[in-house]
Amino acid sequence: QVQLVESGGGLVQPGGSLRLSCVASGSIFSINVMAWYRQAPGKQRELVAAITSGGSTNYADSVKGRFTISRDNAKNTVYLQMNSLKPEDTAVYYCNADSTVGLRSYHYWGQGTQVTVSS
């Protein structure tokens, strides 16, 4: 079992910055990949950024150069630094953890944190 708690969302003006945090607890040693997804009303959930246990990262084209994902293994925390925010970044952002135990894969989700970019 893995529990994820997001924080750091809020209201910000276009061009501003926010840093999201996700703290993992439970069976943290089984986690292979942590990621941030987002979902806007009426749209499907999309991958924003992902990071492996080895530190490899992947970003959606829409956020490349603006967002940075990182992790602090000592704190069991993954971050998403969001700069140069745009109105189209408005969404609920979800932390995701992927783990594998034997032949079974598990996916865990946080409750989400709202990010609103508006003037």
Side-chain angles (χ1 to χ4, degrees):
Q1 296 291 319
V2 174
Q3 295 79 45
L4 304 173
V5 179
E6 304 102 328
S7 63
L11 175 64
V12 65
Q13 295 183 347
S17 298
L18 285 173
R19 188 176 77 157
L20 306 183
S21 299
C22 174
V23 179
S25 61
S27 301
I28 57 176
F29 297 110
S30 67
I31 297 175
N32 307 120
V33 179
M34 296 191 73
W36 288 97
Y37 287 75
R38 67 185 181 188
Q39 187 167 24
K43 296 184 178 180
Q44 63 182 0
R45 187 172 298 183
E46 65 175 348
L47 175 68
V48 177
I51 186 167
T52 69
S53 60
S56 297
T57 59
N58 186 49
Y59 298 93
D61 288 341
S62 60
V63 306
K64 286 181 179 178
R66 299 188 298 121
F67 291 10
T68 303
I69 189 171
S70 61
R71 65 192 299 170
D72 186 335
N73 291 329
K75 296 181 178 180
N76 302 317
T77 302
V78 63
Y79 304 94
L80 185 67
Q81 178 66 46
M82 305 185 294
N83 298 325
S84 302
L85 284 162
K86 304 175 181 179
E88 48 264 47
D89 295 318
T90 296
V92 177
Y93 284 70
Y94 296 92
C95 183
N96 166 261
D98 177 76
S99 67
T100 300
V101 180
L103 298 178
R104 305 188 68 177
S105 295
Y106 300 86
H107 306 278
Y108 302 94
W109 295 92
Q111 295 184 19
T113 184
Q114 177 72 48
V115 172
T116 302
V117 185
S118 176
S119 60

